[in-house]
Coordinates of all heavy atoms in Angstrom, one line a residue:
M1 N 75.2 -141.4 -179.2 CA 75.8 -140.2 -179.8 C 77.3 -140.2 -179.6 O 77.8 -140.6 -178.6 CB 75.2 -138.9 -179.1 CG 75.8 -137.6 -179.6 SD 75.2 -136.2 -178.7 CE 73.5 -136.3 -179.1
L4 N 81.4 -135.5 -177.9 CA 81.7 -134.2 -178.3 C 83.0 -133.8 -177.6 O 83.5 -134.4 -176.7 CB 80.6 -133.3 -178.0 CG 79.3 -133.7 -178.8 CD1 78.1 -132.8 -178.4 CD2 79.5 -133.5 -180.3
A51 N 81.3 -127.1 -178.3 CA 81.4 -128.4 -178.9 C 80.6 -128.5 -180.2 O 79.6 -129.2 -180.2 CB 81.0 -129.5 -177.9
P52 N 81.1 -127.9 -181.3 CA 80.4 -128.1 -182.6 C 80.6 -129.5 -183.1 O 81.6 -130.1 -182.9 CB 81.1 -127.1 -183.5 CG 82.4 -126.9 -182.9 CD 82.3 -127.1 -181.4
C53 N 79.6 -130.1 -183.8 CA 79.7 -131.4 -184.2 C 79.2 -131.6 -185.7 O 79.4 -132.7 -186.3 CB 78.9 -132.4 -183.3 SG 77.2 -132.2 -183.3
R54 N 78.5 -130.7 -186.3 CA 78.0 -130.8 -187.6 C 78.1 -129.5 -188.4 O 78.2 -128.4 -187.8 CB 76.5 -131.3 -187.6 CG 76.2 -132.6 -188.4 CD 77.2 -133.6 -188.3 NE 76.9 -134.8 -189.1 CZ 77.8 -135.8 -189.2 NH1 78.9 -135.8 -188.7 NH2 77.5 -136.8 -190.0
L61 N 77.7 -124.1 -188.4 CA 77.9 -125.2 -187.5 C 76.9 -125.4 -186.5 O 76.2 -124.4 -186.1 CB 79.3 -125.1 -186.8 CG 80.5 -125.0 -187.8 CD1 81.1 -123.6 -187.7 CD2 81.6 -126.0 -187.4
A62 N 76.7 -126.6 -186.0 CA 75.8 -126.8 -184.9 C 76.4 -127.8 -183.9 O 77.2 -128.6 -184.2 CB 74.5 -127.4 -185.4
G63 N 76.0 -127.6 -182.6 CA 76.6 -128.4 -181.5 C 76.0 -128.0 -180.2 O 74.8 -127.7 -180.1
R64 N 76.9 -127.7 -179.3 CA 76.5 -127.3 -177.9 C 77.5 -126.4 -177.4 O 78.7 -126.4 -177.7 CB 76.2 -128.4 -177.0 CG 77.4 -129.2 -176.6 CD 77.1 -130.4 -175.8 NE 78.3 -131.1 -175.3 CZ 78.4 -132.2 -174.7 NH1 77.2 -132.8 -174.4 NH2 79.5 -132.8 -174.3
A65 N 77.2 -125.5 -176.4 CA 78.1 -124.7 -175.7 C 77.6 -124.3 -174.4 O 76.3 -124.3 -174.2 CB 78.4 -123.4 -176.6
Q74 N 73.8 -125.5 -173.7 CA 72.6 -125.4 -174.6 C 73.0 -125.7 -176.1 O 74.2 -125.5 -176.4 CB 72.0 -124.0 -174.5 CG 71.4 -123.6 -173.2 CD 70.8 -122.2 -173.2 OE1 70.8 -121.6 -174.2 NE2 70.3 -121.8 -172.1
A75 N 72.1 -126.1 -176.9 CA 72.3 -126.3 -178.3 C 72.7 -124.9 -178.9 O 72.2 -123.9 -178.5 CB 71.0 -126.7 -179.0
T76 N 73.7 -125.0 -179.8 CA 74.3 -123.8 -180.3 C 74.5 -123.9 -181.8 O 74.8 -125.0 -182.3 CB 75.6 -123.5 -179.6 OG1 75.4 -123.5 -178.1 CG2 76.3 -122.2 -180.0
T77 N 74.4 -122.7 -182.5 CA 74.9 -122.7 -183.9 C 75.9 -121.6 -184.0 O 76.0 -120.7 -183.1 CB 73.7 -122.3 -184.8 OG1 73.2 -121.0 -184.4 CG2 72.6 -123.4 -184.8
W78 N 76.8 -121.8 -185.0 CA 77.8 -120.8 -185.3 C 77.6 -120.3 -186.8 O 77.7 -121.2 -187.7 CB 79.2 -121.4 -185.1 CG 79.6 -121.6 -183.7 CD1 80.4 -120.9 -182.9 CD2 79.3 -122.8 -182.9 NE1 80.5 -121.5 -181.7 CE2 79.9 -122.7 -181.7 CE3 78.5 -124.0 -183.2 CZ2 79.7 -123.6 -180.7 CZ3 78.4 -124.9 -182.2 CH2 79.0 -124.8 -181.0
L88 N 70.6 -121.7 -178.4 CA 69.2 -121.9 -178.9 C 68.2 -122.2 -177.7 O 67.0 -122.3 -177.9 CB 69.1 -123.1 -179.8 CG 70.1 -123.0 -181.1 CD1 69.8 -124.2 -182.0 CD2 69.9 -121.7 -181.8
Y96 N 69.0 -128.1 -170.3 CA 70.1 -128.7 -171.1 C 69.6 -129.0 -172.5 O 68.5 -129.5 -172.7 CB 70.6 -129.9 -170.5 CG 71.5 -130.7 -171.4 CD1 72.9 -130.4 -171.5 CD2 71.0 -131.7 -172.3 CE1 73.7 -131.2 -172.4 CE2 71.8 -132.4 -173.2 CZ 73.2 -132.1 -173.2 OH 74.0 -132.8 -174.1
S97 N 70.4 -128.7 -173.5 CA 70.1 -129.1 -174.9 C 71.4 -129.3 -175.7 O 72.4 -128.7 -175.3 CB 69.1 -128.1 -175.6 OG 69.8 -126.8 -175.7
S98 N 71.3 -130.0 -176.8 CA 72.5 -130.2 -177.6 C 72.0 -130.4 -179.1 O 71.0 -131.2 -179.3 CB 73.3 -131.4 -177.2 OG 74.4 -131.7 -178.0
A99 N 72.6 -129.8 -180.0 CA 72.3 -129.9 -181.4 C 73.1 -131.0 -182.1 O 74.3 -131.1 -181.8 CB 72.4 -128.6 -182.1
S100 N 72.6 -131.8 -183.0 CA 73.3 -132.8 -183.7 C 73.3 -132.7 -185.2 O 74.1 -133.4 -185.9 CB 72.6 -134.2 -183.4 OG 72.6 -134.4 -182.0
A101 N 72.5 -131.8 -185.8 CA 72.5 -131.6 -187.2 C 71.9 -130.2 -187.6 O 71.2 -129.6 -186.8 CB 71.6 -132.7 -187.8
I102 N 72.4 -129.7 -188.7 CA 71.9 -128.4 -189.2 C 71.8 -128.5 -190.8 O 72.7 -129.1 -191.4 CB 72.9 -127.3 -188.8 CG1 72.3 -125.9 -189.3 CG2 74.3 -127.6 -189.3 CD1 73.1 -124.8 -188.7
V108 N 67.8 -126.8 -187.2 CA 68.6 -127.6 -186.4 C 67.8 -128.7 -185.7 O 66.7 -128.5 -185.3 CB 69.3 -126.8 -185.3 CG1 70.1 -127.6 -184.3 CG2 70.2 -125.7 -185.9
A109 N 68.4 -129.9 -185.6 CA 67.8 -131.0 -184.8 C 68.7 -131.4 -183.7 O 69.9 -131.3 -183.8 CB 67.6 -132.2 -185.8
G110 N 68.1 -131.9 -182.6 CA 68.9 -132.3 -181.5 C 68.0 -132.8 -180.3 O 67.0 -133.4 -180.6
A111 N 68.5 -132.7 -179.1 CA 67.8 -133.2 -178.0 C 67.8 -132.2 -176.8 O 68.8 -131.5 -176.7 CB 68.3 -134.5 -177.5
F121 N 64.2 -132.5 -180.5 CA 63.6 -131.2 -180.9 C 64.0 -130.8 -182.3 O 65.0 -131.3 -182.9 CB 64.0 -130.1 -179.9 CG 65.5 -129.6 -180.0 CD1 65.9 -128.8 -181.1 CD2 66.4 -130.0 -179.1 CE1 67.2 -128.4 -181.2 CE2 67.8 -129.6 -179.2 CZ 68.2 -128.8 -180.3
A143 N 67.1 -136.7 -181.6 CA 67.2 -136.4 -183.0 C 68.6 -136.3 -183.5 O 69.3 -135.5 -182.8 CB 66.3 -135.2 -183.4
F144 N 69.0 -136.9 -184.5 CA 70.4 -136.9 -185.0 C 70.5 -136.3 -186.4 O 71.6 -135.8 -186.8 CB 71.0 -138.3 -185.0 CG 71.3 -138.8 -183.6 CD1 70.6 -139.9 -183.1 CD2 72.2 -138.2 -182.8 CE1 70.8 -140.4 -181.9 CE2 72.5 -138.7 -181.5 CZ 71.8 -139.8 -181.1

Side-chain angles (χ1 to χ4, degrees):
M1 180 183 297
L4 296 174
C53 65
R54 233 41 182 175
L61 300 109
R64 67 183 184 187
Q74 296 183 1
T76 304
T77 60
W78 291 261
L88 306 185
Y96 166 88
S97 61
S98 180
S100 300
I102 182 169
V108 173
F121 73 75
F144 289 113

